[in-house]
Amino acid sequence: MATLYDEGDHYSLTKIDIRVLLALLGGPLNGYEVARQCERDHDWGNRPVNIGSVQHSIKSMLALMLIKELPGRTDGPGKPSRTFKITTVGRQVLGWEVETMKHQLELIEERSESAKKRP
């Protein structure tokens, strides 16, 4: 679940939050489409994404304004569909997460090299 730290405007995202934001980078999607895109992006193959986890992530990120709901889309006659889009804040937060991941990767590489040099 996406959470807001008290010390400032820094969000902490779960893996599913990150995957949902990544799915929405490609454009607006409904919840089912988000789940399917998460599966394609992460090659989970036969293990489908838990739609409940996706719905929970969407709900919490709506509350934090990382994503927004678009009005008026339908998936056919009489079938309203809630469609979501990443916001500017969502893009910024995702960017922070990417920078954090890059830093963590650098530390892993650095420490792995250091460990190889030890007897």
Side-chain angles (χ1 to χ4, degrees):
M1 174 175 84
T3 56
L4 178 61
Y5 290 139
D6 291 333
E7 323 59 86
D9 293 333
H10 181 78
Y11 297 88
S12 176
L13 301 177
T14 65
K15 287 180 183 180
I16 193 69
D17 294 334
I18 293 168
R19 291 172 180 155
V20 167
L21 290 176
L22 285 173
L24 291 172
L25 277 177
L29 300 170
N30 67 35
Y32 176 81
E33 293 167 333
V34 168
R36 299 298 75 87
Q37 187 61 51
C38 288
E39 288 174 349
R40 286 190 294 275
D41 288 348
H42 300 283
D43 195 25
W44 288 339
N46 297 343
R47 265 185 42 206
V49 172
N50 182 320
I51 193 70
S53 296
V54 170
Q55 291 170 336
H56 181 73
S57 174
I58 287 171
K59 182 178 177 181
S60 66
M61 289 194 292
L62 280 168
L64 293 169
M65 295 184 284
L66 301 182
I67 64 174
K68 68 179 182 177
E69 186 174 349
L70 299 179
R73 180 174 160 186
T74 61
D75 285 342
K79 292 186 178 180
S81 175
R82 296 180 69 198
T83 303
F84 307 97
K85 176 182 177 181
I86 191 170
T87 64
T88 302
V89 174
R91 288 177 187 275
Q92 183 179 25
V93 170
L94 184 59
W96 293 338
E97 290 290 337
V98 168
E99 290 305 313
T100 298
M101 288 177 197
K102 284 180 183 177
H103 177 69
Q104 290 170 342
L105 181 58
E106 288 171 3
L107 289 174
I108 290 167
E109 291 171 346
E110 192 177 285
R111 291 178 184 168
S112 294
E113 285 301 314
S114 178
K116 287 179 187 176
K117 295 177 184 176
R118 287 189 215 138

